[in-house]
Amino acid sequence: MSEQVDRRYGPATLPRSRGPLSAAVLDALRRPPHDLPAGLGADLDPADPITDEDLQLTLFLCYELHYRGWHGVDEAWEWQPTLLALRAEAERPFEAALRRLVGAPSVPAAGVAAGLAALVAADDGPPLAATLQRRADLSQFREFVAHRSVYHLREADPHSWALPRLGGPAKAALVEIQTDEYGNGRLDRMHAELFRCTLERLGLDTSYGAHLDAAPAVTLATNNLMSLFGLHRRWRGALLGHLAAFEMTSSLPNRRYGNGLRRLGLDEVATRFYDEHVEADAVHEQIAAHDMCGGLVRAEPALAPDVLFGATAGLAVDRLFAAHLLDSWAAGRSSLRTPTPPAPPPKVPLVALPAVAPPAPPALV
């Protein structure tokens, strides 16, 4: 692999290991593709798979091979049979933990869209967005952005795995949502690029995967959940349910994040990512619930429980993530495995963006 790569866009640098399994995988990936030792990972039994650092990093290492890969790693590792077998072994405890966490959601008689609305209405997660809006200091906001960079620098990619697995109304609805996420083909409007500007304004490294070593297991789990659903056709219903819950719970928190940055004195370049989501996701939530998930279930009724499972799992893991940040800050410690460096003086943004006023609240539907 050529050493001349644009670090903003990947591939990512291999992270440090967090236990014997991730150490074995990292050691293998640094060498040409070969068979892993027999039985590696066969006795996995972590007490809490969702917060187990070694398990979650191992999954992330395997999944990233299907995205942008790892710097210096032979791309043939993506389909190496024994590594895929190890990934399957690591997925089993993760999936079992998700099922224990959320159970088996029931589909109401009114249909899957009503079920999604009920899940969102009942969600009472920790007040992370309100804390960031009203009380968090700059260092805490920078931590939050570092956590979220693991996803937002590849925003929309995990859910795009569903596109070749769908047809008809569900596919059309997903394309409509994803087209907005990818900025309608304009680099300066892509959500990942808008987030890169937020990172830059906060004095944080903008390269792809830069904050992976600092991200704890629960942060990796929020990302691994999307990859688990996205890389398995059998979980296409759960993937759409996850996206629907994501869109249906996005508008108000993003308004709060933007207002929190304004409170801290940041400019419209820093807030543009969040302001964009206030308006876009207010529209997306209707498309996601009724057209995308509703369309899928009309075509494949048996997938309705999976849709609600994906939504419920996404909300539940995000609650664990929010609780981790708030509990860490309440205890006076960093929520990252390694704290972010001090913020340098502001620099010129990577992409010049026109100033925008804070968006007005969306009309109630």
Side-chain angles (χ1 to χ4, degrees):
M1 180 184 294
S2 170
E3 294 296 318
Q4 301 302 315
V5 297
D6 189 334
R7 301 301 293 276
R8 292 175 299 169
Y9 302 120
T13 300
L14 283 171
R16 293 186 290 273
S17 65
R18 303 188 188 182
L21 190 58
S22 58
V25 172
L26 284 163
D27 178 67
L29 293 178
R30 292 188 177 101
R31 295 182 281 138
H34 59 274
D35 286 343
L36 300 180
L40 184 65
D43 57 350
L44 275 173
D45 187 25
D48 182 0
I50 295 174
T51 59
D52 187 274
E53 299 287 351
D54 198 25
L55 176 69
Q56 291 299 329
L57 181 58
T58 296
L59 284 170
F60 196 94
L61 288 168
C62 294
Y63 288 146
E64 184 59 29
L65 292 167
H66 301 285
Y67 290 98
R68 302 185 198 176
W70 297 104
H71 184 65
V73 172
D74 192 317
E75 293 182 351
W77 271 112
E78 181 181 6
W79 298 109
Q80 208 288 329
T82 60
L83 184 62
L84 291 174
L86 173 63
R87 192 188 89 187
E89 291 290 347
E91 286 174 337
R92 289 189 184 99
F94 184 36
E95 185 175 326
L98 293 170
R99 293 189 180 280
R100 290 193 298 271
L101 181 64
V102 305
S106 59
V107 182
V112 72
L116 289 167
L119 285 174
V120 169
D123 186 47
D124 59 350
L128 177 60
T131 298
L132 287 163
Q133 177 185 5
R134 298 168 185 163
R135 296 190 298 277
D137 59 28
L138 182 59
S139 66
Q140 291 168 336
F141 215 112
R142 294 174 78 242
E143 284 188 17
F144 168 72
V145 169
H147 281 282
R148 287 305 199 193
S149 71
V150 180
Y151 169 68
H152 286 313
L153 288 179
R154 67 178 184 200
E155 181 160 343
D157 290 350
H159 298 110
S160 290
W161 288 109
L163 285 169
R165 294 166 179 165
L166 301 174
K171 184 167 191 167
L174 178 57
V175 167
E176 184 174 357
I177 292 171
Q178 297 300 81
T179 298
D180 283 348
E181 302 289 339
Y182 292 125
N184 290 281
R186 288 180 50 187
L187 176 64
D188 64 334
R189 299 292 300 181
M190 287 178 62
H191 289 183
E193 200 67 20
L194 296 178
F195 190 79
R196 181 170 284 105
C197 293
T198 299
L199 282 168
E200 192 274 342
R201 269 307 202 231
L202 289 170
L204 294 167
D205 194 335
T206 65
S207 29
Y208 182 75
H211 303 284
L212 181 57
D213 267 326
V218 70
T219 302
L220 300 187
T222 64
N223 290 272
N224 287 338
L225 178 64
M226 289 180 264
S227 297
L228 172 69
F229 292 158
L231 290 168
H232 292 276
R233 184 178 180 277
R234 67 186 175 91
W235 281 124
R236 62 196 180 280
L239 183 63
L240 295 195
H242 181 282
L243 177 57
F246 206 86
E247 300 292 344
M248 295 170 75
T249 57
S250 175
S251 188
L252 178 57
N254 277 293
R255 177 182 300 282
R256 287 174 167 165
Y257 302 147
N259 288 340
L261 285 174
R262 280 182 276 272
R263 173 180 60 83
L264 292 168
L266 276 294
D267 64 9
E268 70 278 356
V269 174
T271 65
R272 184 65 174 271
F273 172 83
Y274 299 112
D275 295 341
E276 175 76 13
H277 283 75
V278 173
E279 295 185 352
D281 292 350
V283 175
H284 288 175
E285 66 176 276
Q286 301 299 321
I287 299 169
H290 296 278
D291 301 331
M292 185 180 71
C293 292
L296 175 70
V297 171
R298 285 191 294 273
E300 300 185 78
L303 295 183
D306 287 351
V307 170
L308 295 181
F309 175 77
T312 308
L315 293 171
V317 175
D318 275 352
R319 285 196 296 271
L320 296 177
F321 167 78
H324 168 76
L325 268 66
L326 294 176
D327 290 349
S328 298
W329 296 341
R333 62 175 183 268
S334 173
S335 62
L336 295 167
R337 300 179 75 242
T338 54
T340 59
K347 299 178 182 178
V348 176
L350 292 174
V351 179
L353 296 170
V356 292
L364 297 176
V365 178

